[in-house]
Structures are given as C-alpha cells and as structure tokens.
Amino acid sequence: MRHVTQTFTDLVRVETRLYNAVNARLRTERGLGLGQFELLEVIDRVPGCRVLDIAGELAITVGAVSKAVDRLVTAGWCRRVAHPQDRRSSVLRLTPEGETQLAASRPVVESELASLTAAVAPDDLARIASVLATLRTTLEAASHGQPG
C-alpha cells in the first residue's frame, strides 16, 4: 500500500473509532447522538442558520439534514422560523431545551475526546490539528467531497 493510501486508511479508522466512542458516551450520558450534537453546534454557531448551511458545513445532502432537523424539532431542541426575506426557506433556532442540551453535552464531548487522545503528546496533537485544518480548507475551497 502506498504511503498516502495508508495515511488515508489510518485517518478514516481513527475518525470512525473516535466518532463511535464519543457517540456512545454522549448517548449514555445525554440521550443524543454525536450527529445530533453536531447539528445543534452548527445551528448555535451560524447566525440565521438554514438547512442548506448545515448541509454545506457537514458535506451531507439537504434531504439528510432536513430529516435530521425534523428529529431535532420533534425532540424539542430546535424550531424552524420563517425566513424574513425568503418565505420558501426557514431559519433554524435552538429552543431553550436545545441550548441546555448543547451546553450540557459540550463537556461530555470534550472530556471523551481528551481521554481518547491522551496518548498523543500535546505538541503532536497540535501539529495534527494544523495539518488537518489545512487539508480541510484546501478541500472545501475547491468544493471537493460535496454530496451530489
């Protein structure tokens, strides 16, 4: 296997294992999955957040985001509000329950990630973060990996 292929394989396996471990702890302690947490994070961070914004941020389809948002609405964690300039669109807002859930979930995610990455020296983790941020920026700027 070529070096870059092995690096890619390791990256995917690490991501999968981290995701699954954090997801399991979050479900156990807070009753939501990591995917739901990510949606709440984007809605909280992006002013005037729409389904399209989440789809672009997470590189998943609009249909998948719309269904996931429907589940957040059903759970009482977010609501859809009519977009002030575009009646065909809606803006997503966290409910007070959603804000509470997000605030309580953040330390769980941070704690689990810190625990899972404790074997990596802080300087190495900082280098990994820098390299991944560069790669992500490059891929996103060229619209690589967007669904559809």
Side-chain angles (χ1 to χ4, degrees):
M1 200 176 290
R2 291 187 18 217
H3 180 68
V4 71
T5 303
Q6 183 59 54
T7 300
F8 171 77
T9 299
D10 288 343
L11 178 63
V12 170
R13 298 305 178 270
V14 166
E15 185 276 337
T16 300
R17 290 176 190 280
L18 288 173
Y19 193 99
N20 290 344
V22 173
N23 185 63
R25 181 164 170 204
L26 204 50
R27 280 199 186 283
T28 298
E29 293 189 24
R30 296 297 316 154
L32 80 157
L34 188 52
Q36 292 171 307
F37 172 82
E38 289 181 292
L39 290 170
L40 294 174
E41 279 274 308
V42 175
I43 294 167
D44 185 54
R45 183 173 29 81
V46 175
C49 186
R50 297 168 302 141
V51 165
L52 190 60
D53 297 317
I54 298 171
E57 173 92 13
L58 301 180
I60 56 179
T61 66
V62 170
V65 173
S66 187
K67 288 177 186 176
V69 166
D70 287 344
R71 288 189 290 275
L72 293 180
V73 169
T74 299
W77 296 334
C78 98
R79 60 189 172 96
R80 296 177 191 257
V81 178
H83 191 285
Q85 287 84 31
D86 181 0
R87 288 281 193 214
R88 297 171 296 156
S89 185
S90 58
V91 175
L92 305 171
R93 296 216 173 99
L94 296 183
T95 62
E97 295 83 6
E99 290 173 356
T100 299
Q101 180 65 281
L102 181 58
S105 297
R106 282 180 173 137
V108 174
V109 171
E110 288 294 321
S111 170
E112 187 65 11
L113 286 171
S115 174
L116 292 166
T117 59
V120 180
D123 288 348
D124 289 341
L125 199 54
R127 273 194 297 284
I128 291 167
S130 177
V131 169
L132 289 176
T134 299
L135 182 56
R136 178 180 176 181
T137 299
T138 301
L139 292 170
E140 288 177 353
S143 296
H144 290 297
Q146 290 296 322

